[in-house]
Amino acid sequence: MRFRSPHTRRSPHARRTALAAVAALALSAWIPATAEAAGAAGAATARPGDVVASAPSAFHPLPGQPTNTKAWKIQYRSTTADGAPNVVSGTVIVPQDGRTGPRPLITYAVGTVGMGDSCAPSNNLPYGTAMEANLIQQYTLRGWAVVVTDYEGLGTPGVHTYTVGPSAGHAVLDAARAATRLPEAGLSADTPVGIMGYSQGGQASGWAAELQGSYAPELKVKGTATGGVPADLMKVADFNNGSYGSGLIFMAAAGQDAAFPELKLDSYLNPAGKVLVGAMKESCVAIDAIAGSFKRISDLTVKNPLAQPDWQARLGQSRLGRTAPAAPVYQYHALGDELIPYAVGRQLRSDWCARGANVEFDTIWVGEHVSGVITHSPEVGNWMADRFAGRSPHPNC
């Protein structure tokens, strides 16, 4: 069985009701090296983080650019926002540098790539077309292994649960588990782990940090570096309504509806809204951002779903800041961020600090949302290197 075509979809309801069958069937036949392991990891017996299937892949920051790494595309057992088992895909990348001792692992959460299956990092990393591949290479050049989750529904059956924080946090943590359980990767349960992400990946890495103590306490997490974090989706939606980033509101609505079908997004959309959201589910971020920009919620709906109690409650479940991460956090945010308000990032810092978290907060004084992840990547790498080296962090709560 092969990875599903990006043009083949199942409804969220079908994904939920047939989840056991999906997990049992997921790719168990297409890799001779792991066929036995895949067959043993059926839905009924698989633990979160168990590898369902794997196949050799490749990692190229640019088309054809060599990296002296080995890579594998994996599917692994994870958990939905509501606690049901699911299967998520991703990529494990390991430097081939002759290192024989323990090697740190980064579980890396990418920023928004879109909702179409073709946008999944695992479908683009082998060809040098993944947007954050050059950032990931900075970490493989340090000798660190990296695992990159595709998130729920991105490259696997169902609609991508975009901005659903608990689902993303589970996917990030289970990707780390899966990497340590993939025999070919040469990692182990004692592998030191760092969590990284920015933008959508900032939400995912923040959720991974909050969930790790209860969901994956066995992981040897040394720290989390998270930036441009959309910690409060209601405030982010209000900020972007009618602006350059308004397409993100409709993508997020589609993602929440995918996770929680009872929200019935379609019943709120007018004909133009249905066309836009339908196209977004099949497209990548460059198209989605252009198609959805400078639109107000009222332009595409018959009634604002974000004004309804059930929508507010579900969006509230993705708000960060209510649990202190168990490991140190490096949080950074651009003062001029035009998509995720700086005040949202500062509030998350305050919430974490109030709960006793070890947080170092850094303001990016020059730049905006996209440039922040690029210009600050050396600082992020140095901070994580200090955590792997056992040096004390410098919280500034």
Side-chain angles (χ1 to χ4, degrees), residues 27-332:
L27 311 180
S28 61
W30 50 261
I31 310 113
T34 58
E36 293 184 8
T45 57
R47 301 166 297 164
D50 277 354
V51 177
V52 176
S54 67
S57 185
F59 170 53
H60 298 292
L62 296 171
Q65 181 182 356
T67 58
N68 193 31
T69 62
K70 285 187 177 180
W72 298 267
K73 184 170 183 175
I74 60 171
Q75 285 205 353
Y76 60 93
R77 157 81 158 79
S78 192
T79 305
T80 69
D82 279 344
N86 64 359
V87 175
V88 177
S89 55
T91 305
V92 179
I93 307 163
V94 180
Q96 300 301 292
D97 52 10
R99 185 169 183 163
T100 57
R103 182 191 301 278
L105 169 68
I106 299 296
T107 181
Y108 191 94
V110 298
T112 301
V113 295
M115 299 189 72
D117 286 346
S118 64
C119 320
S122 66
N123 289 333
N124 290 280
L125 289 168
Y127 304 105
T129 53
M131 291 191 296
E132 295 182 49
N134 283 287
L135 302 179
I136 293 169
Q137 187 186 30
Q138 294 183 25
Y139 309 125
T140 62
L141 289 173
R142 290 177 180 262
W144 303 342
V146 180
V147 60
V148 186
T149 182
D150 289 336
Y151 303 123
E152 180 183 1
L154 191 58
T156 47
V159 176
H160 174 35
T161 54
Y162 179 66
T163 71
V164 178
S167 168
H170 293 148
V172 171
L173 293 170
D174 287 326
R177 285 167 157 162
T180 65
R181 296 173 192 173
L182 182 69
E184 302 95 309
L187 304 171
S188 74
D190 292 327
T191 294
V193 175
I195 302 169
M196 286 188 182
Y198 187 89
S199 191
Q200 180 189 1
Q203 183 202 40
S205 55
W207 265 98
E210 288 199 1
L211 288 170
Q212 183 260 321
S214 59
Y215 182 75
E218 83 283 3
L219 288 177
K220 312 303 182 187
V221 173
K222 303 302 181 183
T224 297
T226 185
V229 184
D232 187 325
L233 296 179
M234 290 295 293
K235 290 182 179 178
V236 172
D238 184 64
F239 182 81
N240 283 283
N241 193 17
S243 76
Y244 164 77
S246 58
L248 300 174
I249 300 174
F250 301 100
M251 289 175 61
Q256 296 288 327
D257 185 68
F260 312 115
E262 71 276 7
L263 292 176
K264 295 182 171 59
L265 174 62
D266 199 57
S267 68
Y268 292 91
L269 299 174
N270 64 25
K274 292 176 182 178
V275 170
L276 178 66
V277 170
M280 283 179 163
K281 293 177 182 179
E282 303 292 340
S283 303
C284 296
V285 65
I287 294 174
D288 290 346
I290 294 171
S293 62
F294 302 109
K295 290 181 172 61
R296 299 194 65 81
I297 294 172
S298 58
D299 295 335
L300 299 173
T301 61
V302 295
K303 183 169 65 173
N304 185 356
L306 303 190
Q308 309 309 311
D310 55 345
W311 275 86
Q312 293 173 358
R314 285 301 194 181
L315 290 170
Q317 289 177 353
S318 287
R319 184 168 63 83
L320 282 161
R322 290 174 289 201
T323 300
V329 173
Y330 178 71
Q331 186 194 350
Y332 55 110

Side-chain angles (χ1 to χ4, degrees), residues 142 144 196 379-391:
R142 290 177 180 262
W144 303 342
M196 286 188 182
E379 293 291 332
V380 168
N382 291 337
W383 184 89
M384 193 64 75
D386 284 344
R387 304 292 77 73
F388 287 146
R391 301 185 185 100

Side-chain angles (χ1 to χ4, degrees), residues 347-370:
Q347 185 61 53
L348 175 60
R349 179 261 190 113
S350 297
D351 290 342
W352 274 342
C353 287
R355 285 158 177 75
N358 185 317
V359 180
E360 180 178 345
F361 186 88
D362 200 353
T363 298
I364 303 173
W365 296 103
V366 178
E368 36 67 62
H369 186 73
V370 173

